[in-house]
Amino acid sequence: MKPKSIRRDLLKWQIGALLVIALLVSLITFVLTWNAFNHLRDDGLAQIAYSIVRHGLVSSDNEDDDDAADKGQFVSQIWDSDGELQYSSVDDSGPPRQQPGHHTVDWHGDRWHTYTLEDGGLTIQVGNPSTYHYADFRHIAPWLLMPLTLMVAVLGGLIWFAVGHALNPLQRVREEILRQELPKLHALAINDLPEEVVPLGEALNDLLQRLESAFASERNFIADAAHELRTPLTAVRLQAQLAQRADATDQRSAALTQLLAGVDRASHLVEQLLQMARLEPDAAQFSFATLRLDRLAKDVIGEFAPGADAKEIDLGMAKSRAVEVYGHAESLRVLLSNLVDNALRYTPGGGRVDVEIDTAAGQAVVSVCDNGPGIPAELRARVFDRFFRCAQSSPPGSGLGLAIVKQVARLHSGEVTLDTSADGGLVVRFVMPAVAAD
């Protein structure tokens, strides 16, 4: 399928409009000229008739060559008061006698235009056949069309040039875009663009800026991921070497224990990286459905209960209201898992982690409260950045948990806030639209 072209469309419409106007002008010119030509003919017939009245007829013996050449174009006839034909410029009688004035009659297979005049008992009639009349008009018709043809040719060329000149800014924008090189993108120069093209240039600049930000974020993410993976992998290699060199069983066992812990940390980081990749808007099509948020929270608490018991942390539902939301079950499970996992990581042994499911003003509210060290107020805005960890954080982590939580919240048109709990720990609240009850 041939692609659409602005140039072709503009030329088609403008030259088409020019041709339509030219045809209309031609038609009007033809009609006006034809009417004027007919009026001149009628006036000429009348003038010849009056000339005959004033000067009489010249004898045919005195006809010169020009008169002989004109014979047949005009026919003059004279009748007396008795209606007898006294004179005719043709060999036979000529067109039938008419009443005074202009008339159109058929004679000898041709249409004649006549003018009849009565004066001094005589009737003078002058006629002109349409054949000669049309022939004379055909001689002047091409001269009528010549200026119009020249106008169409000149205006068509000017339209072609004007359309090309008007589209030059788009060509410049195209060339400047083609000169862009990844990953370094620069804004287009829009100061000299026409005002109709400026919105396009601004939209392209906004897109280029967002692409540049995306490329920069991707580069930073890859660098941070490589750095974060290098640390546990280095520890794994070191513990493997220690286990290989250990002679005593207890030393080998301790090295293997550390080795398994390093593998767990690397696996956790890889899993969180995969979670972030799955949550990218263009990575998958999310299937949303109505689900019970309280039931999903209870399932997540059940999964983390053994780990909480091992650390002697009291993990449970402090409040559970039946709340329905419209969302993606797997990503919401990831959000709840990261919130509970973070709380368990930073809560000391013998502490407490409470999960609450509630509603407020038509919103579903999930609260995860712990009595750990909390997060300083000045750092709470930064903890949602990828790979960011507080300096005073002692438990090992990837710094991706809250970044994943924020990404899931954005996916569900929700919001995540941090606050200080009554015990000085941290309260994380996730709010999203709830399904209205019947």
Side-chain angles (χ1 to χ4, degrees), residues 103-407:
H103 298 278
T104 302
V105 297
D106 293 324
W107 183 64
H108 283 192
D110 201 353
R111 196 166 185 80
W112 287 72
H113 297 273
T114 64
Y115 180 77
T116 304
L117 174 67
E118 292 182 352
D119 184 88
L122 298 178
T123 300
I124 298 97
Q125 181 172 284
V126 182
N128 173 246
S130 297
T131 303
Y132 286 97
H133 186 63
Y134 292 149
D136 290 340
F137 188 75
R138 283 196 297 270
H139 288 317
I140 67 172
W143 296 98
L144 296 175
L145 295 177
M146 183 178 295
L148 194 62
T149 304
L150 181 62
M151 180 192 73
V152 170
V154 172
L155 287 181
L158 291 176
I159 288 174
W160 183 281
F161 174 78
V163 169
H165 181 72
L167 293 178
N168 278 339
L170 292 178
Q171 180 66 22
R172 293 200 304 270
V173 170
R174 174 183 176 274
E175 293 173 354
E176 192 167 355
I177 291 176
L178 290 176
R179 287 196 295 269
Q180 302 277 351
E181 294 183 0
L182 296 177
K184 185 62 177 177
L185 302 174
H186 61 272
L188 305 177
I190 62 174
N191 294 332
D192 57 342
L193 292 179
E195 61 178 338
E196 293 81 5
V197 186
V198 167
L200 174 62
E202 291 175 345
L204 287 173
N205 282 341
D206 181 66
L207 175 61
L208 291 173
Q209 183 178 2
R210 284 186 280 124
L211 283 174
E212 174 65 20
S213 299
F215 286 136
S217 177
E218 182 181 5
R219 289 193 299 268
N220 294 335
F221 178 76
I222 293 174
D224 292 340
H227 174 74
E228 294 296 328
L229 280 172
R230 183 173 58 188
T231 301
L233 290 178
T234 301
V236 167
R237 179 181 178 83
L238 178 60
Q239 296 302 328
Q241 290 174 346
L242 291 176
Q244 186 180 32
R245 296 173 185 172
D247 296 330
T249 303
D250 55 346
Q251 293 178 345
R252 185 178 296 108
S253 176
L256 291 175
T257 300
Q258 293 296 323
L259 177 62
L260 290 174
V263 171
D264 289 341
R265 288 195 297 273
S267 299
H268 179 71
L269 176 59
V270 170
E271 178 62 29
Q272 288 194 315
L273 290 173
L274 290 175
Q275 287 176 356
M276 295 207 72
R278 295 190 196 103
L279 291 172
E280 289 295 332
D282 57 347
Q285 293 294 328
F286 296 99
S287 243
F288 279 59
T290 301
L291 55 95
R292 284 279 296 273
L293 192 59
D294 56 310
R295 292 175 181 172
L296 189 61
K298 290 177 182 178
D299 291 342
V300 171
I301 290 174
E303 293 174 3
F304 282 91
D309 292 341
K311 291 184 63 176
E312 298 181 352
I313 295 176
D314 182 10
L315 171 63
M317 295 282 291
K319 185 176 184 179
S320 177
R321 184 187 294 272
V323 179
E324 284 192 341
V325 295
Y326 187 72
H328 182 244
E330 185 56 35
S331 60
L332 287 175
R333 181 184 292 274
V334 169
L335 179 143
L336 292 170
S337 297
N338 277 280
L339 291 181
V340 174
D341 181 57
N342 273 358
L344 292 176
R345 284 176 180 272
Y346 291 94
T347 300
R352 183 183 182 89
V353 175
D354 292 328
V355 179
E356 294 183 2
I357 306 296
D358 202 353
T359 58
Q363 301 283 313
V365 182
V366 178
S367 301
V368 179
C369 177
D370 62 60
N371 59 352
I375 298 177
E378 64 273 11
L379 296 179
R380 289 175 185 171
R382 297 191 57 194
V383 294
F384 293 104
D385 296 339
R386 295 171 177 176
F387 301 108
F388 179 81
R389 289 195 297 270
C390 297
Q392 71 271 26
S393 300
S394 55
S398 63
L400 290 174
L402 289 178
I404 294 173
V405 168
K406 185 175 182 180
Q407 201 164 348

